[in-house]
Amino acid sequence: QVQLVESGGGLVQAGGSLRLSCAASGRAFTNYIMGWFRQTPGKEREFVAAINRSGSSTYYSESAKGRFTVSRDNAKNTVYLQMSSLKPEDTADYSCAAGTDLPFTWPVLTSPRSYAYWGQGTQVTVSS
């Protein structure tokens, strides 16, 4: 089992940047593919980005591509989401997730059901 704790959310103006962190504890971090999702009230959880176990491969949603970068530091048991050129529509609660029994392929990566462990989330608010 793994425990996940996100941090780094906050209020930022449109066009600004934020870096989210997700610290993992428990079983070996390198066993897990890591994903970032976001959710707004009344809507389903939306895939944002994922990174493979070694950090050598990444995958992004169309809305995140070119603006967000996912990375991981396996020595620190931490995954990051660097967000730039933020837009008001990026406002959401962002959660990281960990999964072991999934291939690093679309569409499996983009489904919340593919991930067994979740953090509590961190709120990102982008003002116009």
Side-chain angles (χ1 to χ4, degrees), residues 36-97:
W36 284 98
F37 289 77
R38 65 187 185 186
Q39 190 170 25
T40 54
K43 293 190 176 181
E44 292 191 355
R45 201 167 258 168
E46 176 191 6
F47 170 79
V48 177
I51 188 165
N52 70 346
R53 295 173 178 85
S54 67
S56 61
S57 294
T58 56
Y59 189 83
Y60 297 94
S61 67
E62 284 301 315
S63 62
K65 206 172 292 183
R67 299 188 300 126
F68 295 2
T69 302
V70 60
S71 62
R72 66 191 294 165
D73 185 336
N74 286 339
K76 296 183 178 179
N77 288 359
T78 302
V79 63
Y80 305 98
L81 185 68
Q82 177 68 48
M83 304 185 293
S84 303
S85 302
L86 283 162
K87 305 174 183 179
E89 51 263 44
D90 293 318
T91 295
D93 185 72
Y94 284 72
S95 297
C96 65

Side-chain angles (χ1 to χ4, degrees), residues 2-5 22-27 29 32 34 76-79:
V2 64
Q3 292 78 43
L4 304 173
V5 178
C22 172
S25 60
R27 289 184 58 186
F29 184 59
Y32 298 96
M34 300 300 296
K76 296 183 178 179
N77 288 359
T78 302
V79 63

Side-chain angles (χ1 to χ4, degrees), residues 74-126:
N74 286 339
K76 296 183 178 179
N77 288 359
T78 302
V79 63
Y80 305 98
L81 185 68
Q82 177 68 48
M83 304 185 293
S84 303
S85 302
L86 283 162
K87 305 174 183 179
E89 51 263 44
D90 293 318
T91 295
D93 185 72
Y94 284 72
S95 297
C96 65
T100 54
D101 298 325
L102 71 159
F104 198 77
T105 57
W106 181 90
V108 176
L109 273 180
T110 66
S111 171
R113 290 189 294 273
S114 297
Y115 298 83
Y117 305 103
W118 292 83
Q120 84 289 349
T122 185
Q123 178 67 35
V124 172
T125 303
V126 184

